[in-house]
Amino acid sequence: MTRHSSKRDLGVFPHAELPVAVAAVIEAIEMDIIRGHILPSTRLIEDHLMEDYDAKRHVVRAALVELQRLGVVVKPPHLGARIRRFDAQSLEALYHFRAVLHRAAVESIALPVPGERLHAVRAAADAHALAASSGDLIAIHRANMAFHRLFFGLCDNPYIEESIRLHDWLSFPARAYAITDQTALSTACAEHAQMVEALEQRDRLRLLDLALGHMLQARRIYEGKYLSR
């Protein structure tokens, strides 16, 4: 099977290009997580996934391997593949580390940002806002991650960039539910625009506040759904 990625996946997945069939199953699983059809700790049974997504077993297995590599799927001993679920302690630890990474990235951004790179970040913010208005959930998810990749990539530290990218994926099972929340989505679009504005104004303190606060709404939604019961 020819290995290539769809155009809207380019620069978003932190992994090598995948066969189209495998990428399609991954996208289908992502969509079902976003929609709440697959919940945290849900067991992912190969036979069910093959039927649900009309995919061959080796394709489903490859998709699960990739999602496990990204941290979206976990495989506890003797329990099979499951969607990652965060308890209060692990969620706190994850968001603490994401805050450390985001702070390090923003503090490393050289201001002023060159015009061409600033334009690319602004275009990514606009693309996310356009996706948000379209209602295409996967497009919203991809555009959001693409914005983060370009924004935090301004730090020009490949180790920080890669760590942020990987933890964006690791946190996906917690962040996913904000994608269908219209208030959270509108806030995210507004914050992206404010981050671009702060870059233009060379306001590092505001950038720090925005980058750290940007994560909190999705976290609160997850806590409300799964940690307040």
Side-chain angles (χ1 to χ4, degrees):
M1 183 179 291
T2 302
R3 296 172 65 88
H4 68 277
S5 298
S6 66
K7 288 183 179 179
R8 65 178 177 179
D9 289 343
L10 295 177
V12 174
F13 278 113
H15 51 67
E17 295 177 343
L18 292 168
V20 171
V22 176
V25 170
I26 291 174
E27 182 170 305
I29 292 173
E30 288 177 86
M31 180 70 80
D32 280 345
I33 293 171
I34 291 168
R35 287 175 170 166
H37 295 169
I38 298 179
L39 302 176
S41 293
T42 296
R43 186 180 174 194
L44 300 174
I45 300 171
E46 287 183 6
D47 288 343
H48 294 174
L49 298 177
M50 290 167 60
E51 181 178 352
D52 290 345
Y53 305 136
D54 190 24
K56 297 184 181 300
R57 189 176 300 277
H58 75 277
V59 171
V60 167
R61 285 181 176 172
L64 292 178
V65 166
E66 179 63 12
L67 287 171
Q68 184 181 3
R69 188 183 77 81
L70 293 173
V72 175
V73 166
V74 294
K75 291 188 72 174
H78 314 300
L79 292 178
R82 295 171 183 268
I83 296 298
R84 181 182 293 275
R85 179 173 183 135
F86 298 97
D87 58 20
Q89 183 176 4
S90 61
L91 192 69
E92 172 63 30
L94 172 64
Y95 274 81
H96 171 75
F97 188 58
R98 290 186 75 208
V100 170
L101 290 172
H102 290 192
R103 177 179 290 277
V106 172
E107 288 178 344
S108 299
I109 294 174
L111 298 175
V113 174
E116 182 177 343
R117 298 184 74 182
L118 182 59
H119 174 76
V121 175
R122 186 187 298 110
D126 291 342
H128 176 254
L130 182 62
S133 67
S134 76
D136 183 336
L137 298 178
I138 284 293
I140 295 168
H141 169 45
R142 294 285 193 271
N144 182 60
M145 293 188 76
F147 173 81
H148 291 171
R149 177 180 61 85
L150 285 170
F151 175 79
F152 290 114
L154 295 173
C155 74
D156 288 330
N157 183 319
Y159 301 103
I160 295 175
E161 291 177 55
E162 181 66 7
S163 292
I164 289 174
R165 196 152 49 236
L166 291 175
H167 283 81
D168 266 359
W169 275 105
L170 183 63
S171 63
F172 173 67
R175 296 186 297 104
Y177 306 101
I179 297 172
T180 56
D181 185 298
Q182 288 304 309
T183 299
L185 188 56
S186 295
T187 299
C189 290
E191 288 175 346
H192 287 172
Q194 291 164 14
M195 290 158 85
V196 173
E197 183 180 84
L199 286 173
E200 292 173 332
Q201 296 175 350
R202 310 176 193 181
D203 189 339
R204 195 181 305 277
L205 289 179
R206 188 174 178 219
L207 278 175
L208 278 170
D209 286 342
L210 287 166
L212 297 179
H214 189 58
M215 300 182 290
L216 299 182
Q217 191 160 219
R219 174 179 175 173
R220 292 188 189 110
I221 290 172
Y222 185 86
E223 289 172 333
K225 282 180 175 289
Y226 299 107
L227 298 184
S228 62
R229 297 175 180 177

